[in-house]
Amino acid sequence: MTFYLNPPSGNISLQNLEKFARIRLEFLLKISSCGGDKLKLQDTVTDFLTVAESECLIDGSNKDVVSHFILRLIMCQDHDSKDFLLKAESQLFKFRFQCMSEDELTKSLRRTDSHLKKVQHNYLVPSIHDFQKLKNIRDMFRLITTTEQRWKLIVRRYLSGDSERGFQIPFFIVPQLVAKRRVELDNGLAFVPFCKLEDVISQLWYQLLVWGIDRACRIQKTFLQDKRMRVLTRHIQVMFRKHHRTFEDSPLNENYLSHDQVSEVMTLFPPCMLHVHQILTTRHRLQHHARIQYTLFLKEIGMPVHEALMFWRKEYSNSVEPHDGCPHHWQQDGRRYTYNIRHLYGLEGACINYRGHCCATLQNAACGVGEQGGCPFKCFDSDHLDILLQREKILYSRETIHQLSSEGRYSEACRSLFVEKSKRLIQETEVHGKTKPTVTESGFEENGMIVNDGHMVTNNTVALTSIDHRALDSQNITECPDTSRICSYTGIGETSWRHSHRDTNCNSSSDRSGTGEHPYNDTDMRVESLPGCGDGKFESVSTCPQKQCIEERTDQESKDISKPSQFYFSLRKLVEGLKKCEKKHLNK
């Protein structure tokens, strides 16, 4: 994890200089093509053809430093090439940071801190501006060590996921954490817990790289006075323009999952992983195969190795009941668990970049007594499958899922669950986009409205007129099985919506036939969404073309799901699309 503060000195042949520059540029182009996907990035880093000249890519080696600085000089003028260099080198730095052990991180940070103290006073800082820039970076390192003086303790707290203790730095150093509300702000200072150390160090490294590229721009004229350097620059720039066109449109994959975000996204997990997660959070232990299954799933959906260590350390540090039969504890067996996790991430042993299990593997796994992993549609009996479907709020597809499971069509059963879950998410977005929750007299929270005795109950911004009770009785209002669309009911007399502030109390005291019974009983009909206010009729709210496109794409993606991670990513993509659609309509 080199900060590239000092340029190299010495003699090198022109052929080797161009060779190192080409190898590094080709490597950075491959990193850029990964789009931030950590699994693809790890495959790239460990690929034999990529690392054939690995000495140029070994962090901190002389050839690594030479190749980095020569690319700085060559690519600092053009905006596209400079932007590419910043992004690709930043991705490489973060990957190296996440793969380092405790000793490697401690030595690297300690060496950088010591070097920053010296570099402010040597020949590298010819101007006041450069001196001030390095001084600001050095001050940030000093602020990090305010609460803990030793880097070894800081790194240990980072790797242990310490979210209680931390340090204060100016808020503009960590804009991403501020945007996601992961830090507390006080008088312009952000309190950053030690578990977020990577974000701070990565941002400081990025600022140092920006400063270094700006310095390279100022001295490039001197560099290009040599005819040989002009030829070298032209060759590298031609190579960049030729290959960068292929990679420039690669989407950036933001699949980063921290250990404290699992509880927020667990509702998007497939049933097999959600079941394992709930066992873990309840018993704080998993059997060996279930732990491997869940670790690889978390890895595949974006959890880096240091976050995985925090996640498992947190769970396995809890005490367990004696009848659970697991005597292991992180305090005694932490080194063994750490090795196993790093091995699954391809950082120990044979350094194999393992992938998550596919559905076929889980379905073919033996369902022994007490097994916690596997496919629930195969391993669960009817009663336990009912509990799972109830937990997932599956209503309309229960019989279909039971039948498919009994026939051994487990993947199709999972797809049926996925489709209904997707449509429920779409429906919830539509409902919440139209009304705020309303609490009835019986204490139930309603997001839609209740039709009862000629009165429709909704929020306090719209008053509803009485409608003909017989007209309601004549309507055949049923729950729409297609929950991806809101049912539109018309023909309920000549009643229309009107804006008023009268009779808006949902706790109406009107009763049926003067019997004194509760106005909201089993005969109440629930309409699943509010009609458009002021339109004079009930109407459909699923008229957004973007939302309809999302529905069609979701149905298509359900047919392609063959891994638990695909289930998760498809639902996450759906949620993100719905949020954009809702935001678009709110802006209108």
Side-chain angles (χ1 to χ4, degrees):
M1 191 181 67
T2 306
F3 276 73
Y4 302 109
L5 292 170
N6 269 343
S9 58
N11 298 319
I12 185 173
S13 67
L14 184 62
Q15 291 80 6
N16 281 337
L17 192 62
E18 182 171 354
K19 177 183 176 182
F20 298 160
R22 285 181 175 275
I23 290 174
R24 190 178 192 91
L25 178 58
E26 186 177 342
F27 181 61
L28 293 178
L29 286 166
K30 290 181 178 180
I31 289 178
S32 179
S33 70
C34 295
D37 190 315
K38 295 178 181 60
L39 292 176
K40 291 182 180 179
L41 182 56
Q42 190 163 348
D43 284 338
T44 300
V45 172
T46 55
D47 180 60
F48 176 77
L49 295 177
T50 302
V51 298
E53 297 288 343
S54 58
E55 195 174 346
C56 294
L57 310 174
I58 295 176
D59 184 28
S61 66
N62 288 334
K63 293 181 180 180
D64 172 60
V65 176
V66 168
S67 61
H68 174 84
F69 274 95
I70 191 62
L71 282 186
R72 271 194 195 182
L73 285 168
I74 293 173
M75 306 180 72
C76 62
Q77 287 286 359
D78 181 68
H79 175 76
D80 290 338
S81 59
K82 182 166 65 174
D83 188 54
F84 161 80
L85 188 64
L86 284 168
K87 290 182 179 179
E89 289 282 4
S90 297
Q91 290 179 25
L92 178 60
F93 175 84
K94 289 180 180 180
F95 179 79
R96 286 172 169 175
F97 191 99
Q98 293 168 2
C99 294
M100 282 187 168
S101 64
E102 179 180 329
D103 290 339
E104 291 170 335
L105 277 174
T106 301
K107 291 178 182 178
S108 179
L109 292 172
R110 188 186 294 153
R111 183 174 61 249
T112 302
D113 190 14
S114 175
H115 194 61
L116 279 170
K117 295 176 183 177
K118 301 175 183 178
V119 78
Q120 297 177 148
H121 307 291
N122 69 10
Y123 68 94
L124 283 176
V125 192
S127 67
I128 298 297
H129 172 75
D130 292 334
F131 178 84
Q132 189 61 41
K133 185 66 177 179
L134 284 179
K135 183 177 181 301
N136 291 339
I137 301 294
R138 167 67 191 122
D139 289 342
M140 295 302 106
F141 271 78
R142 182 175 53 79
L143 289 174
I144 294 173
T145 56
T146 300
T147 54
E148 289 288 355
Q149 302 297 323
R150 299 170 57 193
W151 280 107
K152 187 175 183 64
L153 293 177
I154 293 175
V155 171
R156 187 169 295 171
R157 295 195 186 284
Y158 158 69
L159 293 175
S160 65
D162 191 342
S163 59
E164 300 296 329
R165 285 165 289 193
F167 48 90
Q168 286 187 322
I169 57 173
F171 74 93
F172 54 81
I173 298 296
V174 284
Q176 292 182 342
L177 294 180
V178 173
K180 296 178 181 178
R181 300 183 179 180
R182 299 287 178 187
V183 293
E184 297 178 4
L185 300 179
D186 182 23
N187 292 327
L189 295 177
F191 177 79
V192 182
F194 283 118
C195 64
K196 301 297 181 184
L197 179 67
E198 180 198 345
D199 297 89
V200 179
I201 299 298
S202 298
Q203 184 64 24
L204 295 178
W205 187 91
Y206 184 84
Q207 292 184 11
L208 277 173
L209 182 59
V210 171
W211 168 77
I213 292 177
D214 289 341
R215 285 206 66 243
C217 289
R218 298 199 295 268
I219 64 174
Q220 194 188 43
K221 289 183 179 180
T222 305
F223 170 74
L224 293 177
Q225 288 177 358
D226 190 322
K227 180 181 178 180
R228 297 170 301 173
M229 294 300 103
R230 291 198 299 271
V231 174
L232 172 61
T233 299
R234 186 166 60 252
H235 289 172
I236 298 300
Q237 287 179 342
V238 167
M239 177 183 173
F240 169 73
R241 285 192 293 269
K242 178 181 178 181
H243 295 284
H244 184 243
R245 190 175 299 277
T246 308
F247 302 127
E248 60 184 354
D249 296 326
S250 299
L252 184 61
N253 193 330
E254 296 291 350
N255 299 330
Y256 183 89
L257 181 67
S258 63
H259 71 285
D260 54 353
Q261 291 177 319
V262 176
S263 58
E264 300 173 11
V265 300
M266 58 175 284
T267 55
L268 305 180
F269 285 3
C272 53
M273 297 304 165
L274 182 59
H275 173 66
V276 172
H277 174 79
Q278 289 172 337
I279 293 176
L280 177 63
T281 54
T282 303
R283 301 181 182 177
H284 307 296
R285 298 293 185 275
L286 284 177
Q287 292 181 349
H288 178 70
H289 293 294
R291 190 173 66 248
I292 291 176
Q293 172 184 323
Y294 194 44
T295 301
L296 292 177
F297 170 73
L298 293 176
K299 171 189 175 184
E300 204 159 71
I301 65 174
M303 181 175 283
V305 61
H306 70 282
E307 292 287 350
L309 290 171
M310 296 180 200
F311 176 79
W312 290 104
R313 180 185 290 109
K314 180 181 178 182
E315 292 296 337
Y316 271 66
S317 295
N318 293 312
S319 57
V320 295
E321 298 294 333
H323 58 76
D324 284 337
C326 182
H328 302 297
H329 195 277
W330 192 275
Q331 188 173 357
Q332 290 83 25
D333 304 291
R335 292 186 63 184
R336 182 167 66 89
Y337 285 127
T338 298
Y339 179 86
N340 288 339
I341 293 169
R342 288 178 58 85
H343 183 272
L344 292 174
Y345 274 78
L347 302 175
E348 300 288 354
C351 296
I352 299 174
N353 187 21
Y354 294 99
R355 294 294 201 273
H357 298 320
C358 64
C359 293
T361 302
L362 295 178
Q363 292 164 10
N364 294 329
C367 298
V369 177
E371 286 291 334
Q372 297 168 334
C375 175
F377 299 104
K378 177 185 178 182
C379 301
F380 283 13
D381 58 22
S382 179
D383 293 337
H384 285 88
L385 188 56
D386 267 332
I387 295 173
L388 182 144
L389 296 178
Q390 184 177 0
R391 186 188 303 142
E392 292 275 9
K393 301 178 182 179
I394 301 301
L395 300 176
Y396 310 114
S397 307
R398 286 196 179 190
E399 293 184 4
T400 303
I401 291 174
H402 273 287
Q403 182 178 353
L404 291 172
S405 299
S406 63
E407 295 174 357
R409 296 153 66 183
Y410 311 119
S411 296
E412 294 181 35
C414 190
R415 291 189 195 109
S416 297
L417 184 145
F418 173 84
V419 169
E420 181 166 338
K421 193 169 184 176
S422 302
K423 292 180 178 181
R424 179 167 56 80
L425 288 172
I426 296 173
Q427 180 192 28
E428 289 175 354
T429 303
E430 292 170 344
V431 172
H432 290 126
K434 283 293 181 180
T435 181
K436 296 180 180 179
T438 304
V439 181
T440 66
E441 183 176 321
S442 55
F444 292 100
E445 190 177 74
E446 301 289 354
N447 286 313
M449 58 187 174
I450 295 177
V451 182
N452 170 260
D453 195 27
H455 293 282
M456 287 179 289
V457 182
T458 183
N459 58 33
N460 59 8
T461 59
V462 180
L464 304 171
T465 61
S466 297
I467 59 179
D468 187 1
H469 189 84
R470 290 169 296 180
L472 272 176
D473 292 337
S474 66
Q475 301 303 314
N476 181 20
I477 302 180
T478 59
E479 282 188 309
C480 179
D482 184 4
T483 56
S484 66
R485 294 182 179 274
I486 300 301
C487 301
S488 175
Y489 305 115
T490 57
I492 310 182
E494 298 298 324
T495 305
S496 63
W497 295 85
R498 71 176 179 222
H499 294 277
S500 172
H501 291 286
R502 296 183 291 107
D503 194 26
T504 59
N505 184 10
C506 65
N507 299 324
S508 173
S509 59
S510 61
D511 56 43
R512 299 185 189 277
S513 306
T515 59
E517 68 181 40
H518 196 281
Y520 309 121
N521 58 22
D522 294 338
T523 62
D524 295 340
M525 292 176 291
R526 174 140 187 221
V527 181
E528 291 296 335
S529 75
L530 285 175
C533 298
D535 291 338
K537 62 181 180 180
F538 285 86
E539 63 174 13
S540 171
V541 297
S542 296
T543 56
C544 174
Q546 183 179 352
K547 192 169 292 186
Q548 294 174 6
C549 179
I550 291 172
E551 295 172 21
E552 295 171 359
R553 187 177 63 191
T554 302
D555 289 338
Q556 179 61 38
E557 287 183 354
S558 68
K559 302 174 184 178
D560 302 328
I561 293 176
S562 60
K563 297 188 72 174
S565 58
Q566 291 176 341
F567 186 106
Y568 167 82
F569 283 127
S570 296
L571 280 184
R572 200 186 76 167
K573 192 187 300 181
L574 168 66
V575 171
E576 291 173 352
L578 291 173
K579 286 181 179 178
K580 291 180 181 178
C581 185
E582 187 177 1
K583 185 177 180 180
K584 173 184 173 184
H585 283 278
L586 287 175
N587 291 335
K588 287 183 179 180

